[in-house]
Amino acid sequence: MTTTPTTTPAPRAASRTADLAAFAAGGLAAGLGIAIGELMAGLVSGAPSLIIAIGDFVIENQPPGAKELIVEIFGTNNKLALNVGIAIAAILIAGVLGVIGRRSWIVPVAGFVIAGAVGLGAALTRPLVEPVLAVVTIVLAIGVALAALRWMLGFTAPRWAAPAPAEIADPAAAAAASMPDWDRRHFLQASGGVAGGAVLLGAVGRNLIIESERAPLEIAELPTPDAPLPDDPVARRRTHRIRDGDT
């Protein structure tokens, strides 16, 4: 009599949905880091906006003909389109790092640190950016983003947080024990909080940046003479002759 091995689709399905949650966690963490950079740039003069700094660096170092192509596609909104594209690319890459982060936490840490180094390098090329404020902004943004990512991943049953499984004969049971079902309710609460915070901080920071760019320049007033100029009859006669067309 032969016995057919039983399949265990439930853990696999749970792992797939947890990976989707981890992808969302990575993207939200990146969005939160970007929002913190926007807020710092809006609040503190000399602090960089990471998206703007990277976008300006790309514009200055793009190959010949690329600018004309982008302008032809997006028109006058070419810089806005570039900044949005950079933000979307960062969020998607961070989502992949979030999925990998369920298995190995060191990978998203390294990825976020590398992204921060790229942002810092681009920010330091901006003439109005203070280097100390750039470093503070990058460290704050990356630190908060990683803390939020680890918090959210903690609800997706990551491998690095699971206890070591006991010796189990069934490999499927051992895999299920090493990566148990994840906490959907708490993950939704945590991710919702991170998303709301990212939107709020990013909106406030962006509005502050726009307002600072629209601030009118202070125009120095010319000094007024303390006393009226003396009346010069000779100059007055010359002025009348010029008006009358005499030479």
Side-chain angles (χ1 to χ4, degrees):
M1 181 179 180
T2 60
T3 58
T4 57
T6 58
T7 59
T8 56
R12 293 181 180 178
S15 179
R16 285 195 297 268
T17 55
D19 282 343
L20 292 176
F23 183 89
L28 290 174
L32 182 60
I34 293 172
I36 291 175
E38 295 292 291
L39 183 63
M40 285 290 293
L43 289 176
V44 184
S45 177
S49 166
L50 306 181
I51 294 298
I52 294 178
I54 296 175
D56 290 344
F57 181 81
V58 171
I59 291 174
E60 293 179 357
N61 295 274
Q62 59 187 333
K67 182 177 181 180
E68 289 74 11
L69 178 61
I70 295 176
V71 171
E72 184 178 353
I73 296 175
F74 298 103
T76 58
N77 296 321
N78 58 332
K79 188 172 182 180
L80 175 62
L82 176 62
N83 291 337
V84 171
I86 292 173
I88 293 175
I91 289 173
L92 292 177
I93 295 173
V96 175
L97 292 175
V99 176
I100 302 175
R102 286 192 68 227
R103 281 83 177 170
S104 174
W105 170 244
I106 192 63
V107 175
V109 172
F112 274 67
V113 169
I114 293 173
V118 172
L120 179 61
L124 293 178
T125 63
R126 302 296 92 204
L128 299 180
V129 170
E130 293 290 339
V132 175
L133 292 177
V135 173
V136 171
T137 301
I138 295 295
V139 171
L140 183 62
I142 298 301
V144 173
L146 285 175
L149 178 60
R150 188 175 179 89
W151 180 43
M152 290 183 288
L153 287 182
F155 300 116
T156 64
R159 184 170 297 170
W160 39 264
E167 294 184 359
I168 304 175
D170 187 0
S178 63
M179 298 188 70
D181 196 11
W182 59 290
D183 193 341
R184 293 170 176 81
R185 182 171 65 88
H186 286 95
F187 173 81
L188 291 176
Q189 292 174 350
S191 60
V194 172
V199 171
L200 178 61
L201 296 180
V204 172
R206 175 52 55 176
N207 287 333
L208 291 175
I209 293 174
I210 294 175
E211 290 299 324
S212 65
E213 292 175 349
R214 291 178 178 175
L217 297 176
E218 295 183 359
I219 302 177
E221 296 182 358
L222 296 176
T224 56
D226 297 333
L229 296 175
D231 188 14
D232 188 352
V234 177
R236 188 169 61 252
R237 286 196 300 270
R238 291 177 178 174
T239 303
H240 290 164
R241 290 177 61 185
I242 293 174
R243 290 178 179 174
D244 296 338
D246 297 336
T247 57

